[in-house]
Amino acid sequence: MTDRHPKFMRGMFVNGDYLPSASGKTLPVVNPKNGEVFAEVAEGDTVDINVAVDSAERAFEKWGGLSGTERGNLMQRAADILQRRLPEIVSLEVDQIGRPRREMTAQLARLPEWYSYFGSVARTYEDRVPPFGKDHLNYTRRIPLGVVGHLTPWNHPLLILTKKVAPSMAAVNTMVVKPSEYAPITPMILGEIFREASVPDGVYNVVPGYGPTAGLALSSHPRIRKVDLTGGTPTGKAVAAMAGKNLIRFTAELGGKAALVVFPDIPVDRCVAATLFASFVATGQTCVQGSRLLVHRSIHDAVVEALVHRTRAIRLGDPQDLRTQMGPLVSAKQRDMVERYVRIGIEEGATVAAGGERPQGAEFARGYYHLPTVFTNVKSTMRIAQEEIFGPVVCVMPFDSEDEAIALANSTPFGLASSVWTKDVARAHRVAHQLKCGIVWINDHHRIGPASPWGGFKMSGLGHENGIIAYEEYTELQSVIVNLSDAPFDWYADDGREKRYS
């Protein structure tokens, strides 16, 4: 650790405090704008995961002993503290992942909403009374699972974590978090916020580490009752197999290949503005990135011309500078991935209409920058149109009919999200209903709210984040059936009366 940032030397956050890992190892946190290590955190492994699970199990009884109102009040207090600490957290998120400050400020400003919303759910959730017959009362109860595990990515470190933590806390679970090794700091600061809000120690625990060690230990732990993962589809399949072996709940938000389906009644400038946002926000490092622009052939050429012009005008630079519109990719590995797919696209016969390389200039030399890239002359069967690149690359493809647009949109193995752009209300809903994905935006893209369910079809995942459904997926359902009748019942009595079960 350098002397420039001594406060960023942190242990793992377990039982309400920072602790060193059992091995004493640390892992570096690198600023992607210049490749410099700006922090170190404890590197946890199996031993540390066990310690964290023990802590969460001890806290479970205390957390469950609070009423829904008490838990909701603590979550609202955490929301207020989080709001106060946002400027500090924004700066750290920018340093961890290189996303421009203007984007991180806008994104993280939303986070307190999740704790407010799910705190309200904790206060107000009503159990149900299913119809059962005149002589019986049937009611259902939602029972917490116990200790749950969260495996979170680097691209939205605190947002995606919050989408998991808020409903699991509201549903009375305790948790162990394994954040990405690229972005472990802000997940641990969330622990400080919960501690200040008087959430009992051990309800929330964070063990930084690597996937093959800490991640594997958490995913396969016999005392974890649910694993909630956001990551790549191959990782999701592996973790799902472990969850299946232990017969526990599993939720996964995995890869995507979102399409923008743009019909000719949308003005060219609006189409281009939508594509720039959908394709290049977060430097394209998001599962709902608009990686495919499907545009009606009658406006295709005009859209391409304007899109190329505006793409070339995007300002790359220091992500802490509010004037910067696009920052670096998170790592050299991620930039290598983007560059590999650019080569693949060229080899497949697609045309690089904009970008396709690293930016020139001394200010970019040490960071992991790549120019926003537009491919044209793309066929749907090409790898660049089928596989998730997770970088600032968009493939433009024309279509002639509504049916062709739907077929193109549905032609990948993924099904997380897509958007439909048209002024025709009937067409908008008709197309949306035929898209095989879990989220469809109409005349918008990449919008989210704590009450709005979020989850994918096909290879994009299982289960949901956000909304009442997320709360319920962090519980077991118990059905209680009460006989209200005092009438005697004897199935084997030889009394000549007809017997019935209900």
Side-chain angles (χ1 to χ4, degrees):
M1 184 67 208
T2 66
D3 292 334
R4 289 173 296 167
H5 300 286
K7 68 176 181 178
F8 295 149
M9 179 62 157
R10 281 184 165 88
M12 57 187 190
F13 191 88
V14 174
N15 199 37
D17 204 358
Y18 286 110
L19 304 174
S21 61
S23 68
K25 293 181 179 179
T26 61
L27 60 86
V29 184
V30 175
N31 190 326
K33 77 177 182 183
N34 54 24
E36 293 182 1
V37 174
F38 77 96
E40 289 184 6
V41 299
E43 179 191 335
D45 58 21
T46 302
V47 174
D48 304 298
I49 291 292
N50 286 333
V51 170
V53 171
D54 289 343
S55 171
E57 284 186 331
R58 290 192 301 269
F60 180 68
E61 293 300 324
K62 189 170 184 179
W63 187 233
L66 300 179
S67 68
T69 297
E70 290 170 321
R71 290 193 311 277
N73 290 343
L74 291 177
M75 292 180 70
Q76 182 58 56
R77 190 182 304 170
D80 295 339
I81 297 167
L82 175 59
Q83 183 73 46
R84 171 168 52 82
R85 294 191 65 174
L86 280 178
E88 167 200 2
I89 291 171
V90 166
S91 292
L92 286 169
E93 291 271 79
V94 172
D95 282 346
Q96 286 184 130
I97 65 171
R99 188 170 179 180
R101 189 176 189 91
R102 67 198 293 265
E103 292 183 12
M104 290 309 315
T105 299
Q107 183 186 87
L108 297 185
R110 302 285 313 280
L111 294 192
E113 297 176 35
W114 267 258
Y115 296 100
S116 297
Y117 171 79
F118 281 104
S120 296
V121 172
R123 294 186 195 95
T124 62
Y125 184 86
E126 297 180 358
D127 290 317
R128 294 169 188 167
V129 184
F132 198 85
K134 65 178 182 178
D135 292 331
H136 290 81
L137 169 68
N138 182 196
Y139 64 90
T140 62
R141 302 173 59 227
R142 289 285 174 179
I143 300 172
L145 300 174
V147 181
V148 299
H150 300 314
L151 298 167
T152 61
W154 48 261
N155 57 326
H156 307 296
L158 211 52
L159 171 63
I160 289 177
L161 175 60
T162 286
K163 290 197 295 179
K164 304 178 190 308
V165 170
S168 56
M169 287 184 76
V172 207
N173 300 287
T174 57
M175 64 209 74
V176 178
V177 175
K178 206 298 283 184
S180 167
E181 62 271 22
Y182 291 117
I185 298 175
T186 48
M188 292 194 289
I189 287 178
L190 185 60
E192 297 176 14
I193 290 168
F194 290 143
R195 182 176 62 192
E196 185 178 347
S198 299
V199 173
D201 293 343
V203 169
Y204 176 84
N205 306 274
V206 184
V207 180
Y210 294 101
T213 51
L216 176 62
L218 182 58
S219 302
S220 59
H221 200 286
R223 288 181 284 149
I224 291 290
R225 301 315 307 152
K226 174 176 177 173
V227 174
D228 192 335
L229 161 77
T230 297
T233 298
T235 301
K237 290 180 178 180
V239 175
M242 293 181 228
K245 184 177 181 181
N246 288 334
L247 288 179
I248 63 171
R249 298 285 184 88
F250 176 64
T251 295
E253 198 253 69
L254 305 175
K257 198 69 178 175
L260 292 87
V261 184
V262 183
F263 288 93
D265 56 344
I266 293 295
V268 168
D269 59 347
R270 188 174 181 190
C271 171
V272 170
T275 304
L276 293 171
F277 175 71
S279 302
F280 299 139
V281 73
T283 319
Q285 297 169 122
T286 171
C287 296
V288 295
Q289 181 218 8
S291 57
R292 296 178 298 148
L293 171 58
L294 312 180
V295 58
H296 194 271
R297 194 177 299 276
S298 64
I299 60 171
H300 171 272
D301 291 352
V303 165
V304 168
E305 181 180 0
L307 178 61
V308 167
H309 174 74
R310 290 208 57 192
T311 297
R312 289 172 175 164
I314 291 175
R315 290 192 302 274
L316 276 67
D318 183 341
Q320 291 287 6
D321 187 337
L322 283 172
R323 295 171 298 177
T324 294
Q325 295 177 322
M326 181 180 289
L329 291 146
V330 75
S331 65
K333 178 182 177 182
Q334 198 62 33
R335 184 176 61 185
D336 290 346
M337 176 80 74
V338 172
E339 290 178 329
R340 182 166 67 86
Y341 271 103
V342 169
R343 291 194 299 270
I344 288 171
I346 294 170
E347 291 166 359
E348 290 180 313
T351 300
V352 176
E357 61 186 2
R358 302 181 187 186
Q360 301 299 310
E363 67 271 34
F364 305 116
R366 294 188 297 154
Y368 310 129
Y369 291 88
H370 192 281
L371 290 172
T373 299
V374 177
F375 269 113
T376 58
N377 296 319
V378 179
K379 294 183 173 61
S380 183
T381 54
M382 291 179 177
R383 290 180 62 187
I384 57 170
Q386 288 290 316
E387 300 175 12
E388 187 175 42
I389 300 173
F390 224 66
V393 179
V394 60
C395 298
V396 186
M397 291 177 277
F399 66 84
D400 293 299
S401 67
E402 183 177 306
D403 288 344
E404 183 186 6
I406 293 166
L408 284 170
N410 290 335
S411 67
T412 78
F414 300 105
L416 183 55
S418 284
S419 57
V420 180
W421 297 80
T422 179
K423 296 178 181 179
D424 185 329
V425 174
R427 168 181 277 166
H429 290 279
R430 184 170 64 245
V431 173
H433 292 183
Q434 296 179 76
L435 295 180
K436 297 176 182 177
C437 57
I439 307 157
V440 181
W441 296 284
I442 294 176
N443 297 332
D444 214 332
H445 199 97
H446 206 162
R447 302 297 179 177
I448 189 171
S452 179
W454 182 281
F457 295 176
K458 300 191 286 186
M459 289 295 172
S460 287
L462 298 167
H464 294 84
E465 297 173 327
N466 299 340
I468 297 298
I469 190 170
Y471 171 89
E472 292 178 342
E473 288 183 4
Y474 274 101
T475 66
E476 301 274 17
L477 179 66
Q478 183 184 61
S479 180
V480 179
I481 303 163
V482 184
N483 184 359
L484 303 177
S485 172
D486 284 332
F489 174 77
D490 186 347
W491 180 260
Y492 293 100
D494 229 356
D495 55 11
R497 295 180 179 179
E498 180 184 358
K499 306 298 190 296
R500 60 195 299 267
Y501 281 108
S502 59

